Amino acid sequence: MEDFFSEEELFCDHTWPEDYFFTKRYSRRREDAISKLPDSLLSQILSHLPTTKEAVRTSVLSKRWKSLYLLIPSLVLNANEFPNHNSFVSFIDKFLAFSKEQNSILHKLKLSVKKNVNDPPCVTRWLDSVSSSKLNHLDVECLVNRKLLEAIPRSLYVCHTLVYLRLHRVSLGEFVDSVSLPCLKTLVLEHNVYANDVTLESFISSCPVLEDLSIARMVPDNIKFLRVCSKSLTSLHIDYLFGEDDDFDDKGFGRDGTGVFIDAPRLEYLKFEDDLSDSKVITNSGSLTNVNIVYVFGENDDTADFLHYNNEFDPMLLPQFCNLSRLKLKVPKSCLKMLPTLLERCPNLNSLVLVLDFYKSNGKARKIRASSVPRCLQSSLEHVEIKRFNGEAARMEVARYFVENSMVLKKLVLDIGCSTMEKGFYITEQGFSMFRDLLALPRPSSACQIILK
């Protein structure tokens, strides 16, 4: 079998296991039992090593092992493991060329690529090379400036065997009419650039069995209005932020007309972190059981609109989240008065985490009032945690509301963790006095514990 790689390419950092030299001398004297196994079985064994680099190191054991690593059905490489970009590119080019020559099947490809301005493109051709095989798992991370993003080849959009796909900092073009990913169940899109809104919408909707979707957006990504429409999706994470380490002036960013629309009737878990879009709407939300979002408010009778807040907003128009059992919510001070109404729309809520998104409030806190106690406080809400708690009046009023109204509450956690204190949140002497008053309040739930952590 031809020698495809030099020692520099195989062992670029020259870090050897402690027993390497003993193993090499021993292997010259005696062929071990494992080496007698067929190539197909040995390549499967090597594929279970954490990285391709470790599999390559077995080539020094004996002539029998010299090229076995070339037959493994997975390739896991990080550019940091190589002395320079050229040796990294050369290794992968030769590995893929050998795989094609031997008609070997590559099931998994995981690459972490670093490129500078003068480095030639390479990712597009690698993806084009592997897309025609029976690839199941593809994870490509490109740590590059957005000016150097490489395009996804057309062939990847029709990889019928792909089950897992992660794309980090690449460019997705207009191949929406030919997208066909019938087996894709997990899709992770991070800091990519898209041709337009339709490109991303069609990409998602062309995955008929997609279950887990994560989208981390960066500004700008050419998406004005993000639409997630999927009949199979059960888990969704959306994050939207300004890009880092790029030549972009966020002063030119405009919110007007931007938004998110989610239509996923089977969705059970939603994590939503987006302070940049102008409007956020979810429809067909009846299956949700676990939500981690920023500000939940609505506009009509069949959608929940995730807005910062609106003085004209009528919280009674929120839909019922009947299956929701866990909720993490970031709340500004202006929306505390709406908390009872929101809880009323979650009748079976069991666990609630509140992140109080404000610093110190001025003056006396307004009491949280409601015409009736929300159903979840009467029958299902057992765990409440209040983040960024420092004992000041508005935060204490939130804690007081749960202590006085919760019938089945088992644990109320007031979190003043170190990270909070570093940002200027600390309990004053007055705060400790108010905390003692809180402990002295009568509790409808005899099992309720109030914990300061």
Side-chain angles (χ1 to χ4, degrees), residues 150-167:
E150 293 199 42
I152 295 301
R154 182 186 295 267
S155 56
L156 185 63
Y157 292 96
V158 290
C159 185
H160 291 176
T161 57
L162 206 57
V163 176
Y164 175 97
L165 175 61
R166 175 177 176 251
L167 298 174

Side-chain angles (χ1 to χ4, degrees), residues 187-300:
L187 177 60
V188 181
L189 301 172
E190 298 172 338
H191 305 180
N192 302 311
V193 171
Y194 308 89
N196 48 47
D197 293 8
V198 177
T199 298
L200 183 53
E201 179 183 359
S202 298
F203 189 32
I204 295 170
S205 61
S206 298
C207 305
V209 297
L210 186 64
E211 297 175 356
D212 190 348
L213 173 62
S214 178
I215 303 175
R217 298 176 58 194
M218 68 175 181
V219 177
D221 60 0
N222 296 334
I223 299 295
K224 188 78 171 177
F225 208 100
L226 172 63
R227 290 177 175 83
V228 177
C229 301
S230 172
K231 295 181 179 180
S232 59
L233 198 64
T234 59
S235 177
L236 174 62
H237 177 195
I238 294 178
D239 194 358
Y240 193 17
L241 68 159
F242 286 110
E244 298 178 355
D245 303 324
D246 288 314
D247 301 327
F248 173 71
D249 184 5
D250 57 17
K251 294 180 180 178
F253 173 71
R255 297 171 57 96
D256 293 344
T258 62
V260 179
F261 176 82
I262 302 169
D263 183 1
R266 294 186 59 193
L267 193 64
E268 297 176 2
Y269 174 79
L270 172 63
K271 184 173 183 181
F272 197 90
E273 301 174 272
D274 181 352
D275 288 336
L276 300 181
S277 296
D278 190 30
S279 69
K280 303 97 173 180
V281 176
I282 180 171
T283 185
N284 289 327
S285 57
S287 296
L288 277 173
T289 60
N290 190 348
V291 176
N292 179 347
I293 56 182
V294 180
Y295 316 137
V296 186
F297 303 105
E299 290 186 319
N300 55 55

Side-chain angles (χ1 to χ4, degrees), residues 176-193:
V176 295
D177 294 334
S178 58
V179 177
S180 178
L181 298 167
C183 296
L184 191 66
K185 292 187 176 182
T186 301
L187 177 60
V188 181
L189 301 172
E190 298 172 338
H191 305 180
N192 302 311
V193 171

Side-chain angles (χ1 to χ4, degrees), residues 309-315 338:
Y309 69 94
N310 185 333
N311 291 330
E312 300 177 354
F313 161 70
D314 182 0
M338 301 176 185

Side-chain angles (χ1 to χ4, degrees), residues 140-159:
V140 178
E141 178 181 71
C142 298
L143 306 177
V144 298
N145 186 283
R146 75 177 70 218
K147 295 180 180 179
L148 303 176
L149 300 186
E150 293 199 42
I152 295 301
R154 182 186 295 267
S155 56
L156 185 63
Y157 292 96
V158 290
C159 185

